[in-house]
Coordinates of all heavy atoms in Angstrom, one line a residue:
M1 N 17.5 53.0 -59.2 CA 17.3 53.6 -60.6 C 18.5 53.1 -61.6 O 19.6 53.1 -61.1 CB 17.4 55.2 -60.4 CG 17.4 55.9 -61.8 SD 18.1 57.5 -61.8 CE 16.7 58.4 -61.0
K2 N 18.1 52.9 -62.8 CA 19.1 52.6 -63.8 C 19.0 53.7 -64.8 O 18.0 54.3 -65.1 CB 18.8 51.3 -64.5 CG 19.0 50.1 -63.5 CD 18.9 48.9 -64.1 CE 19.0 47.7 -63.1 NZ 18.9 46.4 -63.7
V3 N 20.1 54.0 -65.5 CA 20.1 55.0 -66.6 C 20.9 54.5 -67.8 O 21.9 53.8 -67.7 CB 20.7 56.3 -65.9 CG1 22.3 56.2 -65.7 CG2 20.5 57.5 -66.9
T4 N 20.4 54.9 -69.0 CA 21.1 54.6 -70.2 C 21.1 55.9 -71.1 O 20.3 56.7 -70.9 CB 20.3 53.5 -71.0 OG1 18.9 53.9 -71.2 CG2 20.3 52.2 -70.1
V5 N 22.1 55.9 -72.0 CA 22.1 57.0 -73.0 C 22.0 56.3 -74.4 O 22.6 55.3 -74.7 CB 23.4 57.7 -72.9 CG1 23.5 58.7 -74.1 CG2 23.4 58.5 -71.6
D6 N 21.0 56.8 -75.1 CA 20.9 56.3 -76.5 C 22.0 57.0 -77.4 O 22.0 58.1 -77.7 CB 19.4 56.8 -77.0 CG 19.1 56.3 -78.4 OD1 20.0 56.0 -79.2 OD2 17.9 56.2 -78.7
E7 N 22.9 56.1 -77.8 CA 24.0 56.5 -78.6 C 23.5 57.3 -79.9 O 24.3 58.1 -80.4 CB 24.9 55.4 -79.0 CG 25.5 54.7 -77.8 CD 26.3 53.4 -78.2 OE1 26.3 53.2 -79.4 OE2 26.8 52.8 -77.3
D8 N 22.5 56.8 -80.5 CA 22.0 57.3 -81.8 C 21.5 58.7 -81.6 O 21.4 59.6 -82.5 CB 20.9 56.4 -82.3 CG 21.5 55.1 -82.7 OD1 22.7 55.0 -83.0 OD2 20.7 54.1 -82.8
R9 N 21.0 59.0 -80.5 CA 20.4 60.5 -80.2 C 21.4 61.4 -79.5 O 21.3 62.6 -79.9 CB 19.2 60.3 -79.2 CG 18.1 59.5 -79.7 CD 16.9 59.6 -78.8 NE 16.2 60.8 -78.8 CZ 15.1 61.0 -79.3 NH1 14.4 60.0 -79.9 NH2 14.5 62.2 -79.3
C10 N 22.4 60.9 -78.8 CA 23.3 61.8 -78.1 C 24.1 62.6 -79.2 O 24.6 62.1 -80.2 CB 24.3 61.0 -77.3 SG 25.6 62.0 -76.6
R11 N 24.2 64.0 -79.0 CA 25.0 64.8 -79.9 C 26.2 65.5 -79.2 O 26.8 66.4 -79.6 CB 24.1 65.9 -80.6 CG 23.0 65.3 -81.5 CD 23.7 64.8 -82.7 NE 22.8 64.1 -83.7 CZ 22.5 62.8 -83.7 NH1 23.1 62.1 -82.8 NH2 21.7 62.4 -84.5
G12 N 26.4 65.0 -78.0 CA 27.6 65.5 -77.2 C 27.4 66.8 -76.6 O 28.4 67.6 -76.4
H13 N 26.2 67.2 -76.2 CA 26.0 68.6 -75.6 C 26.7 68.6 -74.2 O 27.0 69.8 -73.8 CB 24.5 68.8 -75.5 CG 23.8 69.0 -76.8 ND1 24.0 70.1 -77.6 CD2 22.9 68.2 -77.5 CE1 23.3 70.0 -78.7 NE2 22.7 68.8 -78.6
G14 N 26.7 67.6 -73.5 CA 27.5 67.5 -72.3 C 26.8 68.0 -71.0 O 27.4 68.2 -70.0
V15 N 25.5 68.3 -71.2 CA 24.7 68.8 -70.2 C 24.7 67.7 -69.0 O 24.8 68.1 -67.8 CB 23.2 69.1 -70.5 CG1 22.4 69.4 -69.3 CG2 23.2 70.1 -71.6
C16 N 24.6 66.5 -69.3 CA 24.6 65.3 -68.4 C 25.9 65.4 -67.6 O 25.8 65.2 -66.3 CB 24.4 64.0 -69.1 SG 25.6 63.8 -70.5
C17 N 26.9 65.5 -68.2 CA 28.3 65.4 -67.5 C 28.5 66.6 -66.6 O 29.0 66.5 -65.5 CB 29.4 65.5 -68.5 SG 29.2 64.2 -69.9
A18 N 28.0 67.8 -67.0 CA 28.0 68.9 -66.2 C 27.2 68.8 -64.9 O 27.5 69.2 -63.8 CB 27.6 70.2 -66.9
L19 N 26.0 68.2 -65.1 CA 25.1 68.0 -64.0 C 25.5 67.0 -63.0 O 25.3 67.0 -61.8 CB 23.7 67.7 -64.5 CG 23.0 69.0 -65.1 CD1 21.8 68.4 -65.9 CD2 22.6 69.9 -64.0
C20 N 26.1 65.8 -63.5 CA 26.5 64.7 -62.7 C 27.6 64.0 -63.2 O 27.5 62.9 -63.8 CB 25.2 63.8 -62.6 SG 25.4 62.6 -61.2
P21 N 28.8 64.5 -63.0 CA 30.1 63.9 -63.6 C 30.4 62.6 -62.9 O 31.2 61.8 -63.3 CB 31.1 64.9 -63.2 CG 30.6 65.8 -62.1 CD 29.0 65.8 -62.3
E22 N 29.7 62.2 -61.8 CA 29.9 61.0 -61.1 C 29.2 59.8 -61.9 O 29.7 58.7 -61.7 CB 29.3 61.1 -59.7 CG 29.9 61.9 -58.7 CD 29.3 63.4 -58.8 OE1 28.5 63.6 -59.7 OE2 29.7 64.2 -58.0
V23 N 28.2 60.2 -62.6 CA 27.5 59.1 -63.5 C 27.8 59.2 -64.9 O 27.8 58.2 -65.6 CB 26.0 59.3 -63.1 CG1 25.1 58.3 -64.0 CG2 25.7 59.0 -61.7
F24 N 28.0 60.5 -65.5 CA 28.2 60.6 -66.9 C 29.6 61.1 -67.2 O 30.1 62.0 -66.6 CB 27.2 61.5 -67.5 CG 25.8 61.2 -67.2 CD1 25.0 61.9 -66.3 CD2 25.1 60.3 -68.0 CE1 23.6 61.6 -66.1 CE2 23.8 59.9 -67.9 CZ 23.0 60.6 -66.8
D25 N 30.1 60.7 -68.3 CA 31.4 61.3 -68.8 C 31.2 61.4 -70.3 O 30.3 60.8 -70.9 CB 32.5 60.3 -68.4 CG 33.9 61.0 -68.6 OD1 34.0 62.1 -68.8 OD2 34.9 60.2 -68.4
L26 N 32.1 62.1 -70.9 CA 32.3 62.2 -72.4 C 33.4 61.3 -72.9 O 34.4 61.2 -72.3 CB 32.4 63.5 -72.9 CG 31.4 64.6 -72.8 CD1 31.8 66.0 -73.3 CD2 30.1 64.1 -73.5
S27 N 33.0 60.5 -73.9 CA 34.0 59.6 -74.5 C 35.0 60.4 -75.3 O 34.8 61.7 -75.5 CB 33.3 58.6 -75.4 OG 32.8 59.3 -76.5
D28 N 36.1 59.9 -75.8 CA 37.1 60.5 -76.6 C 36.5 61.2 -77.8 O 37.0 62.2 -78.3 CB 38.3 59.6 -76.9 CG 39.1 59.2 -75.7 OD1 39.0 60.0 -74.7 OD2 39.8 58.2 -75.8
D29 N 35.5 60.6 -78.3 CA 34.9 61.1 -79.5 C 33.7 62.1 -79.2 O 32.9 62.5 -80.1 CB 34.4 60.1 -80.5 CG 33.6 59.0 -79.9 OD1 33.3 59.1 -78.7 OD2 33.2 58.0 -80.7
G30 N 33.5 62.3 -77.9 CA 32.7 63.4 -77.5 C 31.2 63.1 -77.3 O 30.4 64.0 -77.2
Y31 N 30.9 61.8 -77.1 CA 29.6 61.4 -76.7 C 29.5 60.9 -75.3 O 30.5 60.5 -74.8 CB 29.1 60.4 -77.7 CG 29.0 61.0 -79.1 CD1 30.0 60.6 -80.1 CD2 28.0 61.8 -79.5 CE1 30.0 61.2 -81.3 CE2 27.9 62.4 -80.8 CZ 28.9 62.0 -81.7 OH 28.9 62.6 -83.0
A32 N 28.3 60.9 -74.7 CA 28.2 60.6 -73.4 C 28.4 59.0 -73.2 O 27.9 58.3 -74.0 CB 26.8 60.9 -72.9
V33 N 29.0 58.7 -72.1 CA 29.1 57.3 -71.6 C 28.6 57.4 -70.2 O 28.8 58.3 -69.4 CB 30.5 56.8 -71.7 CG1 30.9 56.6 -73.1 CG2 31.5 57.7 -70.9
V34 N 27.9 56.3 -69.8 CA 27.4 56.1 -68.4 C 28.5 55.4 -67.6 O 28.9 54.2 -68.0 CB 26.1 55.3 -68.4 CG1 25.6 55.2 -67.0 CG2 25.0 56.1 -69.2
L35 N 28.9 55.9 -66.5 CA 29.9 55.3 -65.7 C 29.4 54.3 -64.8 O 29.9 53.3 -64.4 CB 30.7 56.4 -64.9 CG 31.4 57.5 -65.7 CD1 31.9 58.6 -64.8 CD2 32.5 56.9 -66.6
T36 N 28.1 54.7 -64.2 CA 27.5 53.8 -63.2 C 26.0 53.6 -63.6 O 25.1 54.3 -63.2 CB 27.5 54.5 -61.9 OG1 26.9 55.7 -61.9 CG2 29.0 54.6 -61.3
P37 N 25.8 52.5 -64.5 CA 24.4 52.3 -64.9 C 23.5 52.1 -63.9 O 22.2 52.4 -64.0 CB 24.6 51.0 -65.8 CG 26.0 50.9 -66.2 CD 26.8 51.6 -65.0
E38 N 23.9 51.6 -62.7 CA 23.0 51.4 -61.5 C 23.3 52.7 -60.6 O 24.4 52.8 -60.0 CB 23.5 50.2 -60.8 CG 22.5 49.8 -59.7 CD 21.3 49.1 -60.3 OE1 21.4 48.2 -61.1 OE2 20.1 49.4 -59.9
V39 N 22.4 53.7 -60.7 CA 22.7 55.0 -60.1 C 22.7 54.9 -58.6 O 21.7 54.6 -58.0 CB 21.7 56.0 -60.6 CG1 22.0 57.3 -60.0 CG2 21.8 56.1 -62.2
P40 N 23.8 55.4 -57.9 CA 23.7 55.5 -56.5 C 22.7 56.5 -56.0 O 22.4 57.5 -56.7 CB 25.1 56.0 -56.0 CG 26.0 55.7 -57.2 CD 25.1 55.7 -58.4
A41 N 22.0 56.2 -54.9 CA 20.8 57.0 -54.5 C 21.2 58.5 -54.4 O 20.3 59.3 -54.7 CB 20.4 56.5 -53.1
E42 N 22.4 58.8 -53.9 CA 22.6 60.3 -53.8 C 22.7 61.0 -55.1 O 22.7 62.3 -55.1 CB 23.9 60.5 -53.0 CG 25.2 60.0 -53.7 CD 25.5 58.5 -53.1 OE1 24.7 57.7 -53.0 OE2 26.8 58.3 -52.9
F43 N 22.8 60.3 -56.3 CA 22.9 61.0 -57.5 C 21.6 60.9 -58.3 O 21.5 61.4 -59.4 CB 24.0 60.4 -58.4 CG 25.3 60.6 -57.6 CD1 26.2 59.4 -57.6 CD2 25.7 61.7 -57.1 CE1 27.4 59.5 -56.9 CE2 27.0 61.8 -56.5 CZ 27.8 60.7 -56.4
E44 N 20.5 60.3 -57.7 CA 19.3 60.1 -58.5 C 18.7 61.4 -59.0 O 18.2 61.6 -60.1 CB 18.3 59.3 -57.7 CG 18.8 57.8 -57.6 CD 17.7 57.0 -57.0 OE1 16.6 57.5 -56.6 OE2 17.9 55.7 -57.0
E45 N 18.7 62.5 -58.0 CA 18.0 63.7 -58.4 C 18.8 64.4 -59.5 O 18.2 64.9 -60.5 CB 18.0 64.6 -57.1 CG 17.0 65.7 -57.3 CD 15.6 65.3 -57.8 OE1 15.0 64.3 -57.2 OE2 15.2 66.0 -58.7
A46 N 20.1 64.3 -59.4 CA 20.9 65.0 -60.6 C 20.7 64.3 -61.8 O 20.6 64.8 -62.9 CB 22.4 64.9 -60.2
V47 N 20.5 62.9 -61.8 CA 20.3 62.2 -63.1 C 18.8 62.5 -63.6 O 18.7 62.7 -64.8 CB 20.4 60.6 -62.8 CG1 19.9 59.8 -63.9 CG2 21.9 60.3 -62.6
R48 N 17.9 62.6 -62.8 CA 16.6 63.0 -63.2 C 16.6 64.4 -63.9 O 16.0 64.7 -64.9 CB 15.6 63.0 -62.1 CG 15.2 61.7 -61.6 CD 13.9 61.8 -60.7 NE 13.8 60.5 -60.1 CZ 14.2 60.1 -58.8 NH1 14.8 61.0 -58.1 NH2 14.0 58.9 -58.4
T49 N 17.3 65.3 -63.3 CA 17.5 66.7 -64.0 C 18.2 66.5 -65.4 O 17.8 67.2 -66.3 CB 18.4 67.5 -63.1 OG1 17.7 67.6 -61.7 CG2 18.5 69.0 -63.7
A50 N 19.2 65.6 -65.4 CA 19.9 65.4 -66.6 C 18.9 64.8 -67.7 O 18.9 65.2 -69.0 CB 21.1 64.5 -66.5
V51 N 18.0 64.0 -67.3 CA 17.0 63.4 -68.2 C 16.2 64.5 -68.7 O 15.9 64.5 -70.0 CB 16.2 62.3 -67.5 CG1 15.0 61.9 -68.3 CG2 17.0 61.1 -67.1
R52 N 15.8 65.4 -67.9 CA 14.9 66.5 -68.4 C 15.6 67.5 -69.2 O 15.0 68.1 -70.2 CB 14.3 67.3 -67.2 CG 13.3 66.5 -66.4 CD 12.5 67.4 -65.5 NE 13.4 68.0 -64.4 CZ 13.7 67.5 -63.3 NH1 13.2 66.4 -62.9 NH2 14.4 68.1 -62.5
Q53 N 16.9 67.7 -69.0 CA 17.6 68.8 -69.7 C 18.5 68.4 -70.9 O 19.0 69.3 -71.5 CB 18.5 69.6 -68.6 CG 17.6 70.2 -67.5 CD 18.3 71.3 -66.7 OE1 19.5 71.6 -67.0 NE2 17.7 71.8 -65.8
C54 N 18.6 67.1 -71.1 CA 19.4 66.7 -72.3 C 18.6 67.4 -73.5 O 17.4 66.9 -73.8 CB 19.5 65.2 -72.4 SG 20.1 64.7 -74.0
P55 N 19.2 68.1 -74.4 CA 18.6 68.7 -75.5 C 18.1 67.7 -76.5 O 17.1 68.0 -77.3 CB 19.6 69.7 -76.1 CG 20.6 69.9 -75.1 CD 20.7 68.6 -74.2
E56 N 18.7 66.6 -76.6 CA 18.4 65.5 -77.6 C 17.4 64.5 -76.9 O 17.1 63.5 -77.6 CB 19.5 64.9 -78.1 CG 20.6 65.8 -78.6 CD 20.1 66.6 -79.8 OE1 19.1 66.0 -80.5 OE2 20.7 67.7 -80.1
R57 N 17.1 64.5 -75.6 CA 16.3 63.5 -74.9 C 16.9 62.2 -75.1 O 16.1 61.2 -75.4 CB 14.8 63.5 -75.5 CG 14.1 64.9 -75.3 CD 12.8 64.7 -74.4 NE 12.2 65.9 -74.0 CZ 12.2 66.3 -72.8 NH1 12.7 65.6 -71.8 NH2 11.6 67.5 -72.4
A58 N 18.2 62.1 -75.0 CA 18.9 60.9 -75.2 C 19.1 60.0 -74.0 O 19.5 58.8 -74.0 CB 20.3 61.2 -75.7
I59 N 18.7 60.6 -72.8 CA 18.8 59.8 -71.6 C 17.5 59.3 -71.0 O 16.5 59.9 -71.0 CB 19.4 60.8 -70.5 CG1 20.7 61.5 -71.0 CG2 19.8 60.0 -69.2 CD1 21.1 62.7 -70.1
T60 N 17.6 58.0 -70.6 CA 16.4 57.3 -70.1 C 16.7 56.8 -68.8 O 17.8 56.1 -68.6 CB 16.0 56.1 -71.0 OG1 15.8 56.7 -72.3 CG2 14.8 55.5 -70.6
E61 N 15.8 57.0 -67.8 CA 15.9 56.4 -66.5 C 14.8 55.3 -66.3 O 13.8 55.5 -66.8 CB 15.7 57.4 -65.4 CG 14.4 58.2 -65.5 CD 14.1 58.9 -64.2 OE1 13.7 58.2 -63.2 OE2 14.2 60.1 -64.2
T62 N 15.2 54.3 -65.7 CA 14.2 53.2 -65.4 C 14.2 52.7 -64.0 O 15.2 53.0 -63.3 CB 14.5 52.0 -66.4 OG1 15.7 51.5 -66.1 CG2 14.2 52.3 -67.8
Ligands
F3S1 FE1 24.5 63.6 -75.0 FE2 22.5 64.7 -73.9 FE3 24.5 64.3 -72.5 S1 23.2 65.0 -76.0 S2 26.3 64.4 -73.9 S3 23.3 62.7 -73.4 S4 23.3 66.1 -72.5

């Protein structure tokens, strides 16, 4: 699985980082950054949850 965050949609809610800090972090200006675009298998479920729960629908898995 791969994951991306749409910078134009992210508003820094931080749900993704709370759910899966191994994959998502917040940048110094408060927006999500993806630490591991190629998601390790053990974090796939947490990333799927983040995709569903991001209030801005900014996260995409492929
Ligand atoms: Fe941004 Fe959504 Fe995460 S708004 S900080 S990608 S929960």
Side-chain angles (χ1 to χ4, degrees):
M1 175 204 282
K2 294 183 180 178
V3 67
T4 58
V5 171
D6 183 336
E7 296 174 1
D8 294 333
R9 295 183 75 106
C10 177
R11 292 291 176 268
H13 294 289
V15 178
C16 53
C17 312
L19 286 167
C20 195
E22 296 85 356
V23 173
F24 302 101
D25 197 4
L26 286 182
S27 64
D28 289 343
D29 52 1
Y31 297 102
V33 291
V34 177
L35 301 173
T36 57
E38 193 78 48
V39 178
E42 64 262 43
F43 301 131
E44 288 188 356
E45 195 51 48
V47 168
R48 286 193 190 96
T49 303
V51 168
R52 287 194 300 271
Q53 295 199 2
C54 171
E56 307 297 336
R57 299 237 171 250
I59 309 170
T60 302
E61 60 164 281
T62 55

